[in-house]
Amino acid sequence: MMELCVALDLPTKKENLDLIEKIKDFDVWLKVGLRTYIRDGESFLLEIKKINPDFKIFLDLKLYDIPNTMADAAESIMGLGVDMFNLHASAGKRAMSEVMKRLESYPTRPIVLAVTALTSFSEEEFREVYESDISSKADQFAKDAMDSGLDGVVCSAFESRSIKNITGKEFKTLSPGIRPFGEDAGDQKRVADIAFAKGSLVDFIVVGRPIYRSKNPEKVIKKILEKL
Ligand code: C5P
């Protein structure tokens, strides 16, 4: 079954904690991204667990650096007790393999995902950076991630099915840019609704603004969970 990750992208720690408090009885993942982690750090993760220890945490820091630095960072992440984190596939296979090798000595480790193409890219913008169309590059990045021992990728719902065809059912896809019921896309370019994500075999959907900008986030989450 598809799982829901709620993006904690609110401007202050208090607003994020208020949101978490409101949704604490739902079976959802919480996504802690750059802004929140840079500002509120590890203590914020502990506060989440205090509200409900069953919340699963996805640390969305999208690591990108030289292989040794990425492996060092991954090892620091191990100390945070999160359930999932990610890095950029464009850091290369050597970097991804080094990260996974470094995590081998731990009895358990989080799910590790590689970012393929950010969902904010249009085809033209993507080509300017990667000199490729999104779909073939995302397929290639997914294959690289699988060969390097990762558990899955971050991709838009539009790339999910093709990636699953290449990598197999077990290899996970996580798709941001989800507008569950056709809400405003904001800065996202490759946006899909729940039905499309489901049809594309997406394992995790990430939803931010449609939930935290709503007057009644609980109601939106409930409606989403009913559709998964
Ligand atoms: O508000 P919205 O639903 O667009 O939030 C999507 C979230 O997913 C944001 O936190 C964004 O940083 C993140 N994300 C993304 N595209 C990726 C990876 C992460 O939009 N490829």
Side-chain angles (χ1 to χ4, degrees):
M1 200 176 91
M2 208 158 73
E3 297 193 73
L4 170 64
C5 289
V6 179
L8 300 173
D9 290 334
L10 284 154
T12 64
K13 182 179 184 178
K14 179 169 184 313
E15 287 165 278
N16 278 325
L17 287 172
D18 287 348
L19 173 65
I20 299 167
E21 193 64 54
K22 275 189 199 154
I23 65 175
K24 68 175 174 210
D25 294 323
F26 289 110
D27 184 13
V28 295
W29 285 68
L30 298 180
K31 185 177 88 70
V32 176
L34 277 175
R35 158 148 88 170
T36 300
Y37 193 73
I38 288 171
R39 190 190 49 218
D40 305 326
E42 185 178 7
S43 70
F44 180 70
L45 306 179
L46 297 172
E47 288 189 60
I48 293 177
K49 294 285 183 184
K50 241 195 268 163
I51 294 174
N52 182 350
D54 292 335
F55 271 133
K56 293 221 168 113
I57 300 177
F58 167 29
L59 189 63
D60 180 22
L61 299 183
K62 305 187 182 73
L63 307 182
Y64 182 99
D65 213 307
I66 59 172
N68 186 60
T69 302
M70 283 178 62
D72 288 345
E75 222 172 345
S76 296
I77 290 175
M78 287 303 298
L80 299 175
V82 299
D83 305 281
M84 178 152 74
F85 74 90
N86 58 0
L87 44 79
H88 273 282
S90 54
K93 286 207 265 189
R94 192 153 60 81
M96 290 193 276
S97 306
E98 207 159 312
V99 165
M100 299 318 286
K101 198 162 161 257
R102 193 72 76 80
L103 302 185
E104 261 170 18
S105 58
Y106 295 85
T108 61
R109 61 160 178 83
I111 297 172
V112 186
L113 303 178
V115 178
T116 57
L118 296 173
T119 41
S120 53
F121 271 129
S122 67
E123 281 291 346
E124 302 87 88
E125 288 166 340
F126 188 82
R127 186 174 292 281
E128 269 178 40
V129 182
Y130 295 96
E131 294 178 347
S132 162
D133 61 282
I134 292 173
S135 149
S136 27
K137 199 71 185 178
D139 285 351
Q140 180 62 53
F141 279 152
K143 208 179 156 293
D144 292 348
M146 189 173 70
D147 292 346
S148 310
L150 275 76
D151 305 300
V153 290
V154 181
C155 61
S156 89
F158 302 99
E159 287 93 53
S160 174
R161 186 173 272 279
S162 161
I163 286 171
K164 289 272 182 179
N165 282 340
I166 293 170
T167 57
K169 222 166 67 265
E170 296 308 312
F171 193 74
K172 304 207 177 312
T173 57
L174 174 143
S175 299
I178 301 294
R179 293 298 172 259
F181 307 102
E183 297 91 334
D184 177 39
D187 62 341
Q188 299 282 21
K189 294 276 162 61
R190 298 185 334 284
V191 162
D193 62 16
I194 294 181
F196 187 87
K198 235 174 132 169
S200 309
L201 311 176
V202 169
D203 295 283
F204 298 93
I205 53 169
V206 176
V207 184
R209 284 162 284 189
I211 292 173
Y212 67 74
R213 291 229 177 119
S214 148
K215 287 211 175 70
N216 193 340
E218 305 96 296
K219 206 168 126 196
V220 179
I221 291 184
K222 199 160 168 268
K223 245 176 85 186
I224 295 173
L225 291 178
E226 278 163 10
K227 294 267 183 218
L228 300 187

